[in-house]
Amino acid sequence: VDVAIYSLSLNSIRDALLRAQDRGVQVRMVMESENLDRSDPQRLLDAGIPILGDRREGLMHNKFTVIDGSEVWVGGMNYTDSGTYEDNNVLMRIRSTKIAENYTKEFEEMFVDDKFGDNVLAETPNPRVTMDGTPVDMYFSPDDGVQSILLDILNEAQSSIYFMAFSFTSDELGDAILQRAESGVTVAGVMDEEQVQSNQGTEYDAFRRAGLDVYIDSNPGQMHHKIMIVDESIVIVGSYNFTNSAETRNDENLMVIYDKDIAAQFLNEFQRVYGQAK
């Protein structure tokens, strides 16, 4: 079990990792150093589970787990009580040895090679995997130039762009959305209230000035999604906030899934969050 997680405070995950180790399973972890002093990581360290912190200014912001080289748990959810029970989050369970190989490669760059942030090379073994006819592209930041990929997708949007953004400060991505809206593409979004109020350079203001249907969330916890749904057929999802830090400094991962049925599930979540927004 290889775990790359920004923050861990969920006792059930902690205990499951301890039980796995007791069964003889190899458990390895990388975390954001600032969160290593919490009680649950310390319990794991005390039990002999190795955890490597990133020890740098940028964030180890990933949230993924690889199990037995064949299964990946991935999304925007930290393994915390608030992340699980209070915040808007997504976690996907994907069974694919090729996708697992990608995430294992990324994990070992950090855990084995001790390379974090921009001290890495783009070396994803299987950048596109097709599962049951569904293409899935995988990117890791900052080495893969994620923003340029997102710009290509947004610039080609034909009918709609729906997004849920915890933090959105990228002028480039914001401008691309504004340009598509001017061309007649339907745009709607929800952004986290606390981040809108605290971020410098938030795109929320520009979206509202342009008259777009972009609102702040009403969740007392965090609206923690980092999701875009383009033309109701493309899903952009992962740990990557739409910020310069995610692009240039943090360790992040992002998937682009080309599938209308999967997009429909994410669209249902968007409509639920959007319907509660203010």
Side-chain angles (χ1 to χ4, degrees):
V1 179
D2 291 333
V3 181
I5 194 71
Y6 171 72
S7 186
L8 170 68
S9 67
L10 197 62
N11 292 352
S12 57
I13 296 292
R14 175 202 69 196
D15 293 343
L17 293 172
L18 290 170
R19 289 194 301 270
Q21 186 197 40
D22 288 343
R23 294 195 307 272
V25 173
Q26 174 184 264
V27 179
R28 308 183 296 179
M29 296 182 64
V30 293
M31 283 189 64
E32 165 57 36
S33 290
E34 292 181 2
N35 295 323
L36 265 173
D37 59 356
R38 305 185 75 167
S39 61
D40 284 331
Q42 288 302 311
R43 282 278 301 275
L44 297 175
L45 285 167
D46 291 343
I49 291 176
I51 307 177
L52 182 64
D54 62 329
R55 311 177 315 282
R56 59 189 299 276
E57 186 176 352
L59 301 178
M60 204 307 297
H61 197 247
N62 284 304
K63 306 99 167 48
F64 69 79
T65 296
V66 184
I67 301 173
D68 290 341
S70 61
E71 184 170 312
V72 181
W73 293 66
V74 64
M77 190 187 87
N78 287 306
Y79 300 159
T80 62
D81 295 294
S82 58
T84 305
Y85 298 110
E86 299 173 9
D87 304 339
N88 299 119
N89 270 314
V90 60
L91 185 146
M92 300 177 291
R93 180 186 187 188
I94 302 174
R95 295 177 177 176
S96 164
T97 56
K98 289 185 177 180
I99 290 178
E101 185 181 2
N102 291 340
Y103 281 84
T104 296
K105 175 66 175 176
E106 182 69 12
F107 178 86
E108 292 192 338
E109 284 180 0
M110 296 180 284
F111 185 87
V112 177
D113 300 335
D114 196 10
K115 292 183 177 181
F116 290 88
D118 57 4
N119 185 28
V120 291
L121 297 174
E123 294 181 328
T124 305
N126 311 295
R128 168 167 285 197
V129 174
T130 300
M131 301 178 62
D132 297 327
T134 296
V136 180
D137 293 340
M138 282 145 285
Y139 305 98
F140 298 93
S141 185
D143 34 322
D144 285 343
V146 171
Q147 183 170 269
S148 65
I149 284 112
L150 296 184
L151 287 172
D152 288 343
I153 295 170
L154 292 173
N155 288 334
E156 294 181 7
Q158 298 299 306
S159 59
S160 60
I161 299 170
Y162 302 111
F163 67 86
M164 295 175 283
F166 175 64
S167 182
F168 198 146
T169 59
S170 167
D171 289 342
E172 293 83 357
L173 295 175
D175 289 346
I177 288 175
L178 289 169
Q179 290 170 10
R180 296 315 295 149
E182 290 176 0
S183 299
V185 171
T186 298
V187 172
V190 183
M191 297 173 64
D192 179 75
E193 181 175 23
E194 181 181 348
Q195 291 294 306
V196 166
Q197 292 175 351
S198 64
N199 282 165
Q200 292 187 353
T202 175
E203 295 302 298
Y204 178 79
D205 298 329
F207 293 150
R208 293 297 296 169
R209 284 196 300 269
L212 301 188
D213 292 326
V214 176
Y215 304 99
I216 57 176
D217 78 300
S218 63
N219 186 343
Q222 293 179 334
M223 204 298 299
H224 198 244
H225 288 312
K226 309 97 167 52
I227 294 169
M228 293 185 180
I229 307 152
V230 178
D231 293 341
E232 299 189 20
S233 61
I234 302 170
V235 175
I236 296 163
V237 59
S239 71
Y240 182 101
N241 285 305
F242 308 120
T243 66
N244 185 61
S245 292
E247 175 67 14
T248 62
R249 298 170 56 197
N250 299 346
D251 287 290
E252 310 276 7
N253 70 92
L254 180 136
M255 284 186 171
V256 181
I257 306 169
Y258 297 85
D259 186 277
K260 288 185 177 181
D261 292 335
I262 294 173
Q265 296 187 48
F266 281 85
L267 190 57
N268 285 340
E269 171 67 358
F270 170 79
Q271 290 168 339
R272 184 185 70 82
V273 173
Y274 182 80
Q276 298 171 352
K278 56 187 178 181

